[in-house]
Amino acid sequence: MAIYTGPAHQDQAHPEYADRLALRVGEVAALTGLSRTTIWSEIRSGHLRVCRIGQRSTRVRVQDLEAFLEGAAQTPEVSAGPGPRGPRGR
């Protein structure tokens, strides 16, 4: 996963997004280094807020993306469990 550098560095890294209020899901994926599938999963779970424009257009406000990433940075990682072979390691 790519490291989010925050809004202070966003203008330098991606000047094409500097004056935008909202981004497409694909743009969010490109900026964060997450897959589009992961972004949609976070939207469906309610962790990432979106604006719906009509029936087919979805945008993520920049401030909502920043809030989502701040929350993700403060959440400790959760262990996935014992692994693919089970608890006994066989």
Side-chain angles (χ1 to χ4, degrees), residues 5-71:
T5 58
H9 302 290
Q10 183 176 356
D11 294 346
Q12 297 168 0
H14 300 283
E16 66 272 20
Y17 303 128
D19 59 346
R20 303 271 301 275
L21 296 176
L23 304 170
R24 294 180 182 98
V25 172
E27 294 170 332
V28 172
L31 279 172
T32 60
L34 299 171
S35 70
R36 289 173 47 94
T37 302
T38 299
I39 298 299
W40 278 111
S41 176
E42 295 297 328
I43 291 169
R44 279 190 297 277
S45 70
H47 295 132
L48 180 58
R49 295 180 55 187
V50 295
C51 298
R52 305 252 187 226
I53 305 168
Q55 293 180 359
R56 298 180 50 113
S57 186
T58 301
R59 299 292 184 268
V60 177
R61 294 186 313 168
V62 172
Q63 66 189 36
D64 291 333
L65 175 60
E66 290 173 352
F68 167 75
L69 293 172
E70 283 295 319

Side-chain angles (χ1 to χ4, degrees), residues 64-88:
D64 291 333
L65 175 60
E66 290 173 352
F68 167 75
L69 293 172
E70 283 295 319
Q74 295 173 2
T75 304
E77 289 190 34
V78 177
S79 174
R85 295 187 173 258
R88 297 183 187 168

